[in-house]
Amino acid sequence: MDPLIVLLIVLGVLVVLIGGAALVAPRLRRPRPPAPRPPAEAGPVIAPPEEAPEAERPVLERPEPTAGRLVRLRARLARSESALGRGLLALLSRDRLDEDAWEEVEETLLTADVGVDATTELVERLRARTKLLGTRDPAELRAMLAEELVSALDPTLDRSLSATPAEDKPAVLLVVGVNGSGKTTTCGKIARVLIADGHSVVLGAADTFRAAAADQLATWAGRVGAEVVRGPEGADPASVAFDAVRRGIDAGVDTVVVDTAGRLHTKVGLMDELGKVKRVVEKQAPVTETLLVLDATTGQNGLAQARVFTEVVDVTGVALTKLDGTAKGGIVIAVQRKLGLPVKLVGLGEGPDDLAPFDPEQFVNALLGEAR
């Protein structure tokens, strides 16, 4: 075979081999896809963090109804019942009522702080009625004594609180009294009484001379959802009272209750300041009620305090506190006889709803105990 032809054949074979290698090589260099990984074991599911619940609003207390409170709290008058009510019944039930017996009746009434004038009148009426009655039957004697005591308490006096708004302005209750009488606590309890009767209330913390007074009032208000207007310690009490009434007008509430600074009735300057509070408040709305808080345990001494207050701010009624802590329940009669003012509220304990509207018949029934 011709060598040239052989050379051409060899070259052709080489070209074919080289071309085939060029086509196969890229395929050989192509990376293999990674082997599929085995499925991972299922781990714990992490839930997104829960949103923190909103702070729970404090549950507001619902004050107990005021109707019948005095009946419910009658057991708190046990001391006066024993000393005054049962003591009188025991004396009047004696077979023979001589002068010694009537002197004991008189002493019992005086010891219970009924007062000299009221005691003299009661003894005279009891003498006449027992002589006319001519009996010592316990039930009849109890009925007679109840009538006389109720009469001495004058059930015709208006004992309602003037707490109803008028002419788009709230009623304003000014609460006055000496330190230690329970004045600020009584303000908080009055707010509960009003709210229980369906009124909306703003409290004015105008006792700026006592650091804890505003905080104490705020605690009482917070329990029932009432608003408190307060100022810095040592602020002008009249200014705070003014702001409280202004807030009451803006908020459209029914009643504004203003707690004033406790003051001694002998401190002329402080009493003048109290008169200023009333004058400033009345630039916005009339003061519809001025309640004097008296401590029942102070007895006749409380009457001297009351007289001076009535000369400064025209007191319209009395809130008699701590009546559960004394055997001198007759102070109710003495206060009304000496001052010509109705006892409108009585405090019969430390509970939030232990301030009761005063009712002469319920009070006398509690003093005399259950009819036998």
Side-chain angles (χ1 to χ4, degrees), residues 102-306:
W102 286 114
E103 286 182 7
E104 289 185 54
V105 170
E106 184 175 294
E107 183 180 349
T108 299
L109 291 169
L110 290 173
T111 302
D113 266 341
V114 171
V116 176
D117 294 341
T119 293
T120 301
E121 184 177 322
L122 268 171
V123 170
E124 288 177 355
R125 292 180 62 85
L126 289 171
R127 273 178 178 265
R129 291 197 63 176
T130 52
K131 185 176 181 180
L132 181 63
L133 189 63
T135 180
R136 297 293 176 267
D137 179 74
E140 292 182 358
L141 285 172
R142 184 190 184 282
M144 176 198 68
L145 183 56
E147 287 180 16
E148 293 301 330
L149 290 175
V150 168
S151 177
L153 289 167
D154 194 354
T156 64
L157 292 174
D158 181 10
R159 302 178 194 278
S160 61
L161 293 177
S162 298
T164 303
E167 299 180 0
D168 298 325
K169 292 185 177 180
V172 179
L173 271 67
L174 202 61
V175 183
V176 302
V178 299
N179 287 323
S181 62
K183 177 179 51 57
T184 299
T185 296
T186 299
C187 281
K189 292 184 178 183
I190 288 173
R192 295 180 68 93
V193 166
L194 294 173
I195 290 172
D197 289 340
H199 294 265
S200 54
V201 178
V202 164
L203 288 163
D207 184 355
T208 58
F209 299 143
R210 189 165 63 92
D215 293 336
Q216 185 181 352
L217 206 59
T219 299
W220 279 103
R223 294 179 179 180
V224 290
E227 185 177 352
V228 175
V229 175
R230 59 191 296 179
E233 184 180 347
D236 179 18
S239 175
V240 176
F242 182 91
D243 291 342
V245 176
R246 168 53 57 188
R247 177 55 187 160
I249 293 172
D250 293 343
V253 301
D254 298 319
T255 315
V256 177
V257 180
V258 180
D259 178 28
T260 62
R263 45 192 29 92
L264 294 174
H265 61 286
T266 55
K267 299 295 184 181
V268 178
L270 292 177
M271 294 301 289
D272 290 342
E273 179 69 26
L274 186 58
K276 175 187 172 184
V277 170
K278 183 181 180 184
R279 291 192 302 273
V280 169
V281 164
E282 290 191 322
K283 292 180 179 179
Q284 296 194 88
V287 173
T288 56
E289 187 87 59
T290 302
L291 287 177
L292 173 62
V293 179
L294 286 179
D295 181 347
T297 63
T298 61
Q300 296 290 323
N301 290 334
L303 296 178
Q305 302 169 3

Side-chain angles (χ1 to χ4, degrees), residues 54 61 68 92 95 148 155 170 175 191 220 292 299 320:
E54 295 183 5
E61 298 177 7
L92 295 175
D95 293 334
E148 293 301 330
V175 183
W220 279 103
L292 173 62
L320 200 58

Side-chain angles (χ1 to χ4, degrees), residues 67-111:
R69 278 193 188 183
L70 196 55
V71 175
R72 178 177 61 82
L73 298 169
R74 63 184 302 161
R76 307 287 178 83
L77 291 167
R79 292 187 181 183
S80 289
E81 176 190 348
S82 177
L84 178 58
R86 295 197 181 281
L88 288 176
L89 282 175
L91 288 170
L92 295 175
S93 298
R94 289 182 178 179
D95 293 334
R96 183 169 176 267
L97 286 174
D98 54 15
E99 286 302 318
D100 290 339
W102 286 114
E103 286 182 7
E104 289 185 54
V105 170
E106 184 175 294
E107 183 180 349
T108 299
L109 291 169
L110 290 173
T111 302

Side-chain angles (χ1 to χ4, degrees), residues 329-343:
I331 189 63
V332 181
I333 298 174
V335 166
Q336 295 193 161
R337 292 288 295 259
K338 291 289 187 181
L339 303 176
L341 295 171
V343 171

